[in-house]
């Protein structure tokens, strides 16, 4: 039977995927939060020895003189675990529906709890030290491959993880198409990639991923001029105030969800023509605190919370990946969490978090490592299509106990609504 603390530790450990972008809402200073970080390794050692041999064996088992520390540690761990359960509205909605009345704003009651547990259990796995630990088990040969002759399209490639991904693929000889919104910054990025890698097969396309008409125009032209082996959906945004695009779409939804859907579905016919075709979407562990919500895709109801909207979009990307994997067996789909990386997007959209954590964040290349592995390694396609990855390993797309699993009806509804939007903007795009 598993010892109580081992069980608690296991449950907390499974929470490592929550995106620390959510931590920007946590009001407690980091130095106060770290007071809760007790030495679980020491506690497990105590538990492993907690077998009473005899009342007079203190000399042989000197640890028993400090047994009170074990009990304090165990009590605290159980308290934290109960706090997590009591703060999680979704658990009650499934397991104890009559225990408490429904909250009008359930996230107000459980978000802070989830943020704290995300920090306590995730900081060592999603930071730079977590990558360094995980990378000890990487096989360098997985990505030491020549991909000359294969074509890769990377969105949001002018900075951050997108640029780091494009650069690593270019180093391996691949033809890389950079899809960017800002022409000036994109040209600088292209020049940097060409100079550092010596690869001249770098092509630039200026497209606003929040504009579905632009995406359709680009995709139709691209299909007539190029081949495509790997699509990498990296472009994204976290807008903290509700903004509408020129098409009347909420900007986060338009970029993160609809843009990803339109570009991917528009290019599927091109991908279907190629052997070993792949689609990789850069999501976020923030989606772990969200259940798919198809009733308010554009976040028009209630108080607008940019962080939660972003997390909901990232959950939608996971659902899209799972649905595409079922429908298109000849293409390998995957979605991934890059960890907490030092990127321009993090600095601009989460300044408080960046200031607190900047010395522990992963580099852009470390954040991009799993994207590159999914894009070029033969090992990646040996795993089933449609999985969620972190540090080259598939990880659960749901936290334990949290009721974030969506119904098949809701998943089908999401696909239907996005397809309606997609066809609407395709019909109004010139040249399509």
């Amino acid at each position: 039977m598993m010892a109580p603390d081992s069980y608690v530790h296991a449950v907390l450990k499974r929470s490592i995927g929550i995106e620390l972008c959510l931590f920007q809402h946590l009001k407690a200073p980091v130095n106060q939060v770290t007071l809760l970080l007790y030495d679980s390794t020491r506690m497990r050692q105590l538990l492993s020895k907690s077998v009473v041999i005899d009342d007079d064996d203190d000399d042989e088992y000197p640890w028993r003189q400090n047994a009170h520390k074990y009990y304090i540690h165990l009590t605290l761990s159980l308290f934290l675990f109960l706090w997590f359960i009591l703060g999680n509205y979704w658990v009650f909605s499934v397991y104890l529906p009559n225990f408490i009345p429904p909250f009008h704003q359930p996230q107000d009651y459980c978000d802070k709890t989830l943020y704290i547990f995300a920090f306590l259990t995730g900081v060592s796995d999603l930071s730079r030290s977590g990558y360094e630990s995980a990378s000890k088990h990487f096989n360098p040969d997985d990505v030491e491959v020549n991909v000359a002759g294969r074509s890769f399209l990377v969105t949001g490639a002018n900075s951050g993880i997108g640029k780091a991904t494009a650069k690593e693929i270019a180093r391996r000889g691949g033809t890389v198409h950079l899809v960017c919104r800002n022409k000036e910054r994109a040209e600088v990025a292209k020049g940097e990639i060409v100079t550092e890698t010596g690869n001249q097969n770098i092509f630039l396309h200026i497209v606003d991923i929040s504009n579905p008409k632009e995406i359709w125009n680009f995709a139709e032209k691209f299909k007539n001029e190029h081949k495509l082996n790997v699509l990498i959906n990296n472009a994204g945004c976290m807008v903290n105030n509700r903004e509408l695009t020129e098409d009347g779409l909420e900007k986060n939804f338009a970029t993160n969800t609809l843009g990803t859907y339109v570009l991917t579905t528009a290019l599927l016919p091109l991908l279907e023509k190629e052997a070993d075709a792949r689609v990789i979407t850069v999501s976020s562990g923030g989606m772990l605190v969200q259940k798919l919500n198809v009733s308010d895709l554009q976040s028009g109801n209630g108080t607008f919370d940019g962080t939660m909207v972003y997390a909901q979009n990232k959950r939608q990307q996971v659902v899209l990946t799972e649905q595409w994997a079922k429908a298109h067996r000849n293409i390998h789909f995957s979605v991934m969490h890059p960890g907490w990386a030092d990127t321009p997007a993090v600095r601009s959209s989460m300044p408080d978090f960046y200031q607190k954590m900047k010395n522990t964040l992963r580099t852009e290349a470390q954040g991009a490592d799993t994207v590159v592995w999914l894009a070029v390694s033969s090992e990646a396609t040996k795993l089933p299509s449609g999985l969620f990855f972190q540090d080259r390993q598939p990880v659960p797309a749901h936290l334990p106990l949290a009721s974030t699993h969506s119904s098949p009806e809701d998943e089908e509804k999401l696909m239907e609504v996005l397809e309606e939007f997609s066809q609407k903007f395709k019909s109004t795009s010139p040249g399509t």
Side-chain angles (χ1 to χ4, degrees), residues 150 228-230 267-279 323-334 381 383-386:
R150 285 177 64 80
L228 183 62
N229 298 97
V230 181
L267 294 177
L268 282 176
L270 196 59
L271 288 161
E272 293 275 11
K273 296 178 181 179
E274 304 297 330
D276 192 18
R278 311 183 189 189
V279 175
Q323 294 300 306
W324 284 328
K326 295 175 184 177
H328 304 277
R329 302 290 185 178
N330 294 330
I331 301 173
H332 190 272
F333 291 87
S334 56
T381 53
L383 295 165
S385 182

Side-chain angles (χ1 to χ4, degrees), residues 387-405:
L387 297 181
F388 181 62
F389 286 84
Q390 178 185 309
D391 291 332
R392 303 191 187 183
Q393 292 291 326
V395 295
H398 299 275
L399 292 175
L401 301 180
S403 179
T404 53
H405 292 269

Side-chain angles (χ1 to χ4, degrees), residues 293-423:
N293 178 10
V294 295
S295 65
D296 189 22
L297 289 175
Q298 299 200 59
S299 309
N301 301 326
T303 303
F304 185 88
D305 184 332
T307 301
M308 284 300 164
V309 171
Y310 175 82
Q312 174 65 208
N313 294 160
K314 294 303 176 177
R315 169 61 70 187
Q316 292 160 4
Q317 289 180 341
V318 171
V319 173
L320 289 178
T321 298
E322 293 169 347
Q323 294 300 306
W324 284 328
K326 295 175 184 177
H328 304 277
R329 302 290 185 178
N330 294 330
I331 301 173
H332 190 272
F333 291 87
S334 56
V335 59
M336 60 79 66
H337 177 30
W340 306 328
D342 185 351
T343 66
V346 167
R347 291 176 219 146
S348 62
S349 62
M350 302 174 349
D352 292 340
F353 160 68
Y354 176 74
Q355 287 302 317
K356 290 182 176 74
M357 303 298 296
K358 60 184 178 181
N359 294 326
T360 64
L361 298 178
R362 299 181 179 199
T363 65
E364 293 173 346
Q366 290 172 342
D369 176 81
T370 296
V371 186
V372 176
W373 182 80
L374 288 167
V376 307
S377 173
S378 60
E379 294 301 309
T381 53
K382 293 179 182 179
L383 295 165
S385 182
L387 297 181
F388 181 62
F389 286 84
Q390 178 185 309
D391 291 332
R392 303 191 187 183
Q393 292 291 326
V395 295
H398 299 275
L399 292 175
L401 301 180
S403 179
T404 53
H405 292 269
S406 49
S407 67
E409 292 77 16
D410 280 351
E411 293 174 356
E412 183 178 345
K413 180 66 175 177
L414 174 67
M415 303 302 284
E416 289 176 355
V417 171
L418 293 177
E419 182 62 18
E420 289 174 6
F421 271 122
S422 179
Q423 293 303 316

Side-chain angles (χ1 to χ4, degrees), residues 206-224 247 258-269 418-432:
I206 305 303
V207 184
D208 184 351
I209 297 297
S210 71
N211 188 323
K213 287 180 285 190
E214 275 192 34
I215 298 172
W216 270 116
N217 290 335
F218 159 73
E220 292 302 317
K221 182 179 179 182
F222 188 89
K223 287 189 290 187
N224 292 328
D247 296 309
L258 183 59
T260 297
Y261 178 86
V262 173
L263 181 62
T264 303
T265 54
L267 294 177
L268 282 176
L418 293 177
E419 182 62 18
E420 289 174 6
F421 271 122
S422 179
Q423 293 303 316
K424 170 187 174 182
F425 289 108
K426 179 181 181 180
S427 65
T428 58
S429 300
T432 60

Side-chain angles (χ1 to χ4, degrees), residues 42-85:
R42 173 59 178 162
M43 182 174 170
R44 289 197 304 277
Q45 292 172 347
L46 292 175
L47 280 166
S48 67
K49 299 177 180 179
S50 57
V51 179
V52 177
I53 305 301
D54 195 88
D55 290 336
D56 59 357
D57 60 359
D58 284 353
D59 291 337
E60 185 177 357
Y61 295 93
W63 65 270
R64 291 178 59 190
Q65 298 173 13
N66 296 314
H68 67 282
K69 295 181 181 179
Y70 152 68
Y71 291 113
I72 292 173
H73 202 151
L74 177 60
T75 301
L76 178 62
S77 295
L78 291 174
F79 170 75
L80 288 174
F81 181 60
L82 289 173
W83 182 31
F84 172 69
I85 297 296

Side-chain angles (χ1 to χ4, degrees), residues 75-331:
T75 301
L76 178 62
S77 295
L78 291 174
F79 170 75
L80 288 174
F81 181 60
L82 289 173
W83 182 31
F84 172 69
I85 297 296
L86 292 172
N88 195 328
Y89 171 82
W90 298 301
V91 173
F92 277 110
S93 69
V94 174
Y95 297 102
L96 299 171
N98 299 319
F99 188 85
I100 52 173
F103 296 130
H104 292 294
Q105 296 290 337
Q107 289 173 345
D108 295 342
Y109 293 82
C110 66
D111 286 349
K112 190 172 182 180
T113 299
L114 290 172
Y115 302 158
I116 291 175
F117 272 88
F119 180 72
L120 294 182
T121 61
V123 67
S124 64
D125 290 84
L126 304 181
S127 64
R128 186 188 311 138
S129 62
Y131 173 82
E132 291 168 351
S133 177
S135 66
K136 294 176 182 178
H137 306 286
F138 293 171
N139 182 353
D141 292 338
D142 284 358
V143 292
E144 292 305 318
V145 296
N146 187 326
V147 291
R150 285 177 64 80
S151 176
F152 301 77
L153 189 154
V154 185
T155 66
N158 66 293
S159 66
I161 290 171
K163 184 172 77 172
T165 298
K167 193 177 294 184
E168 291 304 314
I169 293 172
R171 290 189 202 281
R172 291 159 175 77
T175 297
V176 184
H177 296 272
L178 313 176
V179 174
C180 308
R181 180 174 56 86
N182 185 292
K183 184 177 181 180
E184 182 178 345
R185 291 201 296 265
E187 288 177 341
V188 172
K190 176 185 175 182
E192 180 182 325
I193 293 170
V194 170
T195 300
E196 291 191 20
T197 67
N199 188 336
Q200 300 296 319
N201 294 318
I202 311 298
F203 301 92
L204 181 59
H205 311 272
I206 305 303
V207 184
D208 184 351
I209 297 297
S210 71
N211 188 323
K213 287 180 285 190
E214 275 192 34
I215 298 172
W216 270 116
N217 290 335
F218 159 73
E220 292 302 317
K221 182 179 179 182
F222 188 89
K223 287 189 290 187
N224 292 328
E225 298 176 356
H226 305 281
K227 74 169 190 174
L228 183 62
N229 298 97
V230 181
L231 168 63
I232 299 172
N233 291 309
N234 167 74
C237 68
M238 183 195 295
V239 180
N240 291 313
N241 297 306
R242 193 171 191 272
E243 297 180 14
L244 300 182
T245 67
E246 63 182 33
D247 296 309
L249 300 169
E250 192 277 314
K251 195 164 187 177
N252 292 292
F253 168 77
T255 305
N256 302 325
T257 303
L258 183 59
T260 297
Y261 178 86
V262 173
L263 181 62
T264 303
T265 54
L267 294 177
L268 282 176
L270 196 59
L271 288 161
E272 293 275 11
K273 296 178 181 179
E274 304 297 330
D276 192 18
R278 311 183 189 189
V279 175
I280 301 119
T281 299
V282 179
S283 183
S284 162
M287 64 87 193
L288 288 167
V289 300
Q290 287 285 308
K291 180 178 180 178
L292 177 65
N293 178 10
V294 295
S295 65
D296 189 22
L297 289 175
Q298 299 200 59
S299 309
N301 301 326
T303 303
F304 185 88
D305 184 332
T307 301
M308 284 300 164
V309 171
Y310 175 82
Q312 174 65 208
N313 294 160
K314 294 303 176 177
R315 169 61 70 187
Q316 292 160 4
Q317 289 180 341
V318 171
V319 173
L320 289 178
T321 298
E322 293 169 347
Q323 294 300 306
W324 284 328
K326 295 175 184 177
H328 304 277
R329 302 290 185 178
N330 294 330
I331 301 173

